[in-house]
Amino acid sequence: MDYLKIYPTQTLNGAIEISGAKNASLPLIAMTILAKEAVTIGNLPDVVDIKTLLKLLSKLGASCKFSKKSVHVDTSTINETKATYDIVKTMRASILVLGPILARFGHCEVSLPGGCAIGQRPIDLHLKALEQMGAEIDIKAGYIQATTPNGLHGCEIIFDKITVTGTANIVMAASLAKGVTTITNAAREPEVVQLCEILAQSGVIINGIGTAMLEIHGTDGKLLNIKDFDVIPDRIEAGTYLCAGAITKSEITLTNVEPKHLGAVLSKLEEMGHTFTLSKNTICIHPAKEMKAIKIITQEYPAFPTDMQAQFLALATQAEGVSIIEEKLFENRFMHVSELQRMGADITLNGHTATVSGRTQLSGTDVMATDLRASSALVLAGLVATGETDIHRIYHLDRGYEALESKLQNIGAKIERLKE
Ligand code: EPZ
């Protein structure tokens, strides 16, 4: 297994090109199941989760030709509708094939994804909505067995909680259903917006894109003419590198980024004292000389994203004063806290709220990554810790960050990937 060794970094300097969004790529790849012809998806991030979903599609019989940053997917050869445990257990977002497969083939078996480090991650809302649309669903021997005896039909769906992949699953299922489906309390993340936009460009009438109320007019089984497209930039990768600039007091520039997807993140960084120069697809951070403490509550888009919580918690250890970080979406998304405490951070946890007293000088040591975003928080801490920081189990990091160490090396960070 690999691990990352990070040496104390002076300031960073230069530009980082942001990759395509992992959390946009996954539903968009699943969406190709609805396509009549092959589709080429560009600006794909070269990360493990994308490879896992493409492997799943290949196992179902699709042809996936991956070349640098793009994939050519032909799902006309799919001859299997069972997503098996061996793949689904490695990536819960495999559940995104359920809606499209059911809509196209009328039957689907998907292994229950199981929990994950940050929480139980139920999919009850996905299943309840599909049943409302006419699916018959059984859970047997750890598998979701779904059939649609009379096809999927439109209906009025109200999500009890805002669910990103739940919204994506139902939007895709509704795209091929008979009649109109409305989704109330839909997710508005940019990744869901892009999925809706591509579907709309492929012949599906969708009203309310970008709002919490979506209305999807299904094609009644007619497959879609999906044209080649590029995935939007990864706003969480971008936010993570902005935190790298902030925590090391470095002026760095992000390219191939969408500033309008980072409103809440930029606003919190400004509250901490950082300023920015923005253009259409670049962000330059001008770091604060002395960071101020911050109060953060994670919520659904466009509010502050839970996927940036760990990174800001690391950042808060370097801010003057007491920061309060409340995690509202997931029940166990503070596993980075104990690792940061081992580096000397002064953090107290009370239920879903972390109180961080700064500024503390962190010291390098061996730490363990526990989930994707916690791993990036440990990288940020390692950049400013005295001594060496060795981050183990970085297979978590490789799921969602493309070439992280080389992107950081290119702007002056002393970081290397070694073998255990
Ligand atoms: C997506 O996960 C992202 N993953 C997550 O990013 C992100 O943290 C999360 O949305 C929230 O923004 C992908 O897009 C692949 P949810 P998802 O369904 O869709 C509850 C990362 O680091 N819920 O929006 O699985 C759930 O327990 C990953 O890139 C139900 O109760 O999250 C949670 O409390 C981590 N029942 C809340 O809703 C359901 O059926 C939000 O979950 C579904 C969800």
Side-chain angles (χ1 to χ4, degrees):
M1 268 207 272
D2 297 353
Y3 71 98
L4 286 180
K5 183 178 281 294
I6 307 179
Y7 302 87
T9 292
Q10 308 317 322
T11 48
L12 304 171
N13 184 17
I16 292 184
E17 185 182 348
I18 297 303
S19 302
K22 165 182 85 82
N23 291 348
S25 305
L26 294 169
L28 289 166
I29 290 169
M31 175 195 69
T32 62
I33 295 168
L34 306 175
K36 198 159 111 200
E37 321 245 324
V39 185
T40 298
I41 303 177
N43 197 36
L44 267 184
D46 185 7
V47 296
V48 170
D49 273 6
I50 302 306
K51 294 197 176 89
T52 302
L53 189 57
L54 292 173
K55 193 168 131 203
L56 171 55
L57 253 61
S58 307
K59 270 191 85 173
L60 298 176
S63 140
C64 304
K65 294 192 181 68
F66 194 90
S67 64
K68 195 156 171 43
K69 289 189 182 302
S70 79
V71 69
H72 183 76
V73 185
D74 180 356
T75 58
S76 63
T77 50
I78 287 183
N79 54 16
E80 174 59 68
T81 60
K82 181 171 183 177
T84 52
Y85 177 70
D86 58 315
I87 290 198
V88 177
K89 75 173 187 309
T90 64
M91 188 189 62
R92 43 176 310 91
S94 310
I95 195 69
L96 282 163
V97 302
L98 176 61
I101 293 178
L102 204 48
R104 178 168 180 173
F105 299 102
H107 52 85
C108 176
E109 261 191 280
V110 179
S111 164
L112 276 170
C116 87
I118 64 175
Q120 211 258 329
R121 311 288 295 275
I123 52 164
D124 57 309
L125 300 178
H126 300 232
L127 303 183
K128 188 174 139 218
L130 287 169
E131 284 176 325
Q132 279 182 261
M133 295 175 73
E136 287 179 10
I137 294 178
D138 279 327
I139 308 280
K140 272 198 199 120
Y143 276 80
I144 300 158
Q145 298 183 348
T147 55
T148 57
N150 309 308
L152 289 174
H153 57 75
C155 63
E156 290 181 8
I157 286 159
I158 301 175
F159 275 136
D160 299 346
K161 289 177 93 169
I162 295 171
T163 162
V164 172
T165 50
T167 302
N169 234 335
I170 299 309
V171 164
M172 292 190 281
S175 294
L176 251 53
K178 183 181 177 56
V180 179
T181 300
T182 59
I183 303 176
T184 304
N185 207 19
R188 295 184 280 159
E189 274 67 4
E191 297 77 28
V192 173
V193 169
Q194 184 176 27
L195 173 70
C196 292
E197 285 170 343
I198 302 290
L199 287 166
Q201 290 156 19
S202 311
V204 182
I205 297 169
I206 303 183
N207 297 322
I209 295 178
T211 76
M213 164 67 95
L214 292 173
E215 181 187 86
I216 303 109
H217 296 241
T219 65
D220 191 8
K222 190 162 144 296
L223 294 178
L224 308 178
N225 289 314
I226 301 176
K227 292 186 184 46
D228 298 352
F229 60 89
D230 285 348
V231 173
I232 56 172
D234 194 316
R235 61 193 169 98
I236 305 300
E237 183 196 22
T240 303
Y241 288 123
L242 288 176
C243 288
I247 205 167
T248 57
K249 295 188 171 31
S250 310
E251 183 162 290
I252 60 172
T253 298
L254 306 186
T255 61
N256 183 35
V257 65
E258 180 52 85
K260 71 176 191 302
H261 292 162
L262 282 145
V265 171
L266 292 173
S267 154
K268 285 297 173 186
L269 286 170
E270 281 169 348
E271 267 185 63
M272 296 180 88
H274 309 289
T275 58
F276 299 91
T277 306
L278 307 180
S279 78
K280 188 172 170 311
N281 59 3
T282 62
I283 300 177
C284 176
I285 178 170
H286 310 291
K289 291 212 174 7
E290 195 174 273
M291 263 190 290
K292 295 184 211 106
I294 192 74
K295 183 167 169 36
I296 283 175
I297 301 175
T298 65
Q299 291 178 84
E300 294 84 2
Y301 193 88
F304 188 89
T306 174
D307 293 348
M308 285 299 306
Q309 179 259 100
Q311 298 90 315
F312 268 71
L313 205 143
L315 195 54
T317 66
Q318 304 307 302
E320 290 303 329
V322 178
S323 296
I324 311 280
I325 297 179
E326 197 179 342
E327 172 53 59
K328 302 274 280 188
L329 270 84
F330 292 110
E331 61 269 31
N332 189 31
R333 202 170 198 176
F334 280 127
M335 283 169 300
H336 37 287
V337 167
S338 50
E339 297 306 292
L340 291 169
Q341 285 168 332
R342 293 182 55 247
M343 295 177 76
D346 179 356
I347 307 170
T348 49
L349 266 187
N350 180 2
H352 291 177
T353 302
T355 304
V356 188
S357 299
R359 170 182 177 283
T360 44
Q361 177 53 58
L362 301 178
S363 31
T365 182
D366 284 285
V367 289
M368 191 174 75
T370 50
D371 60 85
L372 171 57
R373 305 304 172 185
S375 321
S376 65
L378 297 176
V379 171
L380 296 174
L383 290 174
V384 292
T386 54
E388 296 172 12
T389 302
D390 288 354
I391 305 177
H392 303 277
R393 299 193 183 179
I394 53 165
Y395 54 84
H396 290 291
L397 201 71
D398 295 339
R399 295 189 50 176
Y401 286 96
E402 177 179 343
L404 176 132
E405 64 270 21
S406 48
K407 289 189 179 187
L408 284 172
Q409 282 160 357
N410 292 343
I411 57 170
K414 295 179 185 57
I415 177 171
E416 50 189 354
R417 179 182 287 253
L418 302 167
K419 292 282 178 207
E420 296 282 7

